Amino acid sequence: MTGRPTPDTISTKQERIAELARQMPDVALRSLSRHIDLDWMREAHRRTRKGGATGVDGQSGRDFEEALEENLQRLLDEAKSGRYRAPPVRRVEIPKGRGETRPIGVPTFADKVLQRSVYMALEPVYEQDFYDFSYGFRPGRSAHDALEFLQKGLFRMGGGWVLDADVSSFFDTLDHRVLRDLLRQRVVDGVVVRLVGKWLRAGVLDGGVVHRSATGTPQGGVISPLLANIYLHSVLDRWWVEEVLPRLAGQAFAVRYADDFLLVFSNREDALRVQGVLPQRFERFGLTLHPEKTRLVRFERPRGDDDPDQGPGTFEFLGFTHFWERSRKGRWIPKRKTATTRLSRALRVMNSWCKRARHWPVPDQARLLRAKLRGHYNYYGITGNWRSITIFYRETRRLWRRWLSRRSQRAYLTWKAFEGLLARHPLPPPRVVHDPWRPANP
């Protein structure tokens, strides 16, 4: 069909929203929903992943597309008229490690599309407000960008005192009333605010029973990451910039990825003062900092007179342990390696997979193992982490041989035979993917 707006046209409309938000930084916007029309819904559908798990209605993306135009028009009409009823999300438990699981919520496909349409209207507004040190779930930003920001800040300051904070069950305790109040500070469009409220109240279907609460937003919802950023932007980011930084005696910087954040100080007294008031700040918004996992770490550049047992500590952020080590030229520099817990978890998952897949055809196993190794390198393959990704590669080969040897009682695979198998079905060797000093591709 000709004449339909292209994705570029929708992006142009989003730029208009962004420009309006930039021009009126202290004004609550009233007319966002007028941009959400049928063409906008078509683009929201295009941006929605089609192959995910189904929600409580069992409708897949393919089922929805059988009457695509009718379904999109119905969603649009119900949303604009206020008749839309947000269905509960289906709870799914995913492995977290050490036998633990993490619950996520799976919305219906139609709800994903509608959430995406509202997300597309809200994102341009809040991208004008969010600070540069916030990286989680934002366009053009990644965990590796946050890690590089942290690395360069530590190097520039020569380290310092790191306040490593942990928000207890953030996505389960986010206060709905507080979130709605924060949302209305920037957006008072009736359609948008009403829909967000319905999603917050929709509840979770678990064991055939719908559970509703005045707190929490299910991880897995399309709009949940943006709502989380809106919440923490007010709780932490704006408070840090407007109230904390002007009162500090020394240098400091923050870095946040969703609910995972660090505050870094050059001055110990500054760090202690903020550590003292931070729990109170979070309690005002219904959040709690984990008392055992929130700690102040001395992370200053090592000195010659350091006691070996009292030298700089280490901390974890986004799956990496951060520590000091001498460079090849003998200078102390902050480095990163895969956190021990993450490496152990990844190897446990690999062991379980090799055991489960041991009777599959070897070419199929090799193809999937290659994808798993490349996925590991894509995240953990950073400068300075060569040893950890090499351990993962070698252990993966060992686990594969171990379970191939158990295909039957007579199938024991010697290392020589296994090397021959690897020659026919090679696995990708360790590879550094993220190197800040490597020139970008032209």
Side-chain angles (χ1 to χ4, degrees):
M1 183 181 297
T2 60
R4 286 185 181 176
T6 66
D8 288 341
T9 306
I10 301 299
S11 295
T12 301
K13 293 173 73 173
Q14 289 180 301
E15 272 299 319
R16 292 174 189 156
I17 295 174
E19 181 60 31
L20 185 65
R22 280 193 294 271
Q23 292 174 356
M24 299 190 297
D26 300 316
V27 176
L29 304 182
R30 296 181 175 276
S31 57
L32 287 183
S33 61
R34 69 182 180 84
H35 297 282
I36 304 176
D37 54 17
L38 189 56
D39 293 316
W40 189 279
M41 296 294 291
R42 291 189 185 107
E43 178 60 14
H45 169 262
R46 190 189 71 82
R47 297 186 188 185
T48 302
R49 190 164 68 94
K50 311 302 189 294
T54 59
V56 295
D57 62 355
Q59 185 184 49
S60 67
R62 182 173 297 178
D63 297 334
F64 186 87
E65 289 175 343
E66 289 179 358
L68 179 60
E69 292 297 306
E70 293 86 342
N71 286 330
L72 293 178
Q73 187 65 61
R74 174 183 55 80
L75 274 177
L76 180 62
D77 293 343
E78 291 180 352
K80 291 290 185 76
S81 66
R83 291 183 289 110
Y84 184 75
R85 298 182 62 184
V89 298
R90 182 170 65 87
R91 172 163 288 174
V92 176
E93 301 286 342
I94 63 172
K96 189 178 178 180
R98 297 188 181 278
E100 299 178 357
T101 60
R102 176 167 59 90
I104 64 169
V106 181
T108 64
F109 185 81
D111 207 42
K112 291 178 185 178
V113 173
L114 187 56
Q115 286 192 34
R116 177 65 63 187
S117 71
V118 173
Y119 184 103
M120 288 163 51
L122 287 175
E123 184 185 68
V125 175
Y126 284 98
E127 277 300 306
Q128 314 316 307
D129 297 348
F130 292 159
Y131 293 105
D132 285 343
F133 58 82
S134 168
Y135 286 89
F137 308 113
R138 294 182 59 191
R141 290 167 171 255
S142 69
H144 293 100
D145 294 326
L147 288 164
E148 288 305 321
F149 179 85
L150 172 63
Q151 186 84 342
K152 291 175 180 177
L154 290 170
F155 191 84
R156 182 180 63 252
M157 272 181 28
W161 293 83
V162 177
L163 183 52
D164 182 4
D166 183 271
V167 185
S168 298
S169 304
F170 169 71
F171 283 93
D172 295 330
T173 57
L174 180 152
D175 189 290
H176 294 173
R177 179 188 58 79
V178 173
L179 176 58
R180 287 194 294 269
D181 289 344
L182 294 176
L183 183 67
R184 290 191 184 98
Q185 292 177 10
R186 201 66 171 102
V187 175
V188 289
D189 182 290
V191 172
V192 171
V193 172
R194 184 170 58 239
L195 284 173
V196 170
K198 289 183 177 183
W199 286 319
L200 292 174
R201 295 190 301 270
V204 177
L205 181 66
D206 187 13
V209 179
V210 176
H211 302 273
R212 291 184 172 87
S213 172
T215 61
T217 177
Q219 295 186 66
V222 173
I223 204 166
S224 292
L226 178 58
L227 297 180
N229 271 337
I230 292 171
Y231 205 93
L232 286 172
H233 171 74
S234 293
V235 175
L236 177 68
D237 302 356
R238 194 164 60 194
W239 173 73
W240 170 259
V241 170
E242 296 179 0
E243 299 186 37
V244 176
L245 284 179
R247 292 176 169 84
L248 298 182
Q251 302 178 62
F253 70 91
V255 57
R256 182 172 69 80
Y257 191 92
D259 61 327
D260 199 353
F261 68 93
L262 299 171
L263 307 177
V264 186
F265 306 83
S266 64
N267 183 293
R268 180 173 180 268
E269 286 68 33
D270 286 340
L272 289 171
R273 286 169 54 207
V274 175
Q275 184 183 24
V277 300
L278 193 64
Q280 301 166 26
R281 173 67 183 180
F282 274 70
E283 286 172 8
R284 282 183 54 193
F285 294 86
L287 301 176
T288 304
L289 294 182
H290 198 294
E292 297 177 1
K293 295 182 180 179
T294 299
R295 62 197 186 105
L296 186 61
V297 180
R298 181 196 160 199
F299 198 72
E300 295 174 310
R301 180 179 283 120
R303 300 186 296 265
D305 58 351
D306 273 335
D307 184 326
D309 297 326
Q310 299 295 325
T314 65
F315 63 91
E316 292 185 9
F317 184 63
L318 299 181
F320 291 90
T321 297
H322 299 254
F323 61 101
W324 285 97
E325 189 173 84
R326 288 192 184 276
S327 68
R328 293 180 180 180
K329 296 182 179 180
R331 298 174 59 197
W332 285 107
I333 59 173
K335 285 196 171 185
R336 304 160 294 181
K337 63 180 179 181
T338 308
T340 301
T341 53
R342 293 294 187 94
L343 182 57
S344 298
R345 182 196 306 175
L347 288 173
R348 285 196 301 271
V349 170
M350 186 63 77
N351 181 65
S352 298
W353 185 88
C354 288
K355 177 182 179 180
R356 187 171 64 252
R358 66 188 184 277
H359 294 298
W360 298 1
V362 170
D364 291 345
Q365 291 188 50
R367 175 173 51 82
L368 291 170
L369 278 173
R370 284 193 287 269
K372 291 177 181 295
L373 282 167
R374 281 193 290 265
H376 189 85
Y377 303 154
N378 283 342
Y379 189 78
Y380 292 104
I382 64 175
T383 302
N385 196 34
W386 182 259
R387 182 174 180 274
S388 293
I389 59 175
T390 299
I391 289 173
F392 185 76
Y393 168 70
R394 290 175 177 170
E395 285 297 299
T396 295
R397 296 204 323 169
R398 183 186 65 80
L399 291 170
W400 193 27
R401 172 182 171 270
R402 173 190 177 191
W403 288 108
L404 286 177
S405 295
R406 297 188 180 188
R407 285 159 69 99
S408 71
Q409 292 182 348
R410 296 183 297 175
Y412 180 76
L413 200 62
T414 66
W415 273 106
K416 183 176 180 180
F418 183 60
E419 292 293 343
L421 182 147
L422 287 174
R424 298 189 300 275
H425 305 286
L427 299 180
R431 174 171 170 256
V432 172
V433 178
H434 304 279
D435 182 355
W437 313 115
R438 180 183 298 162
N441 292 330

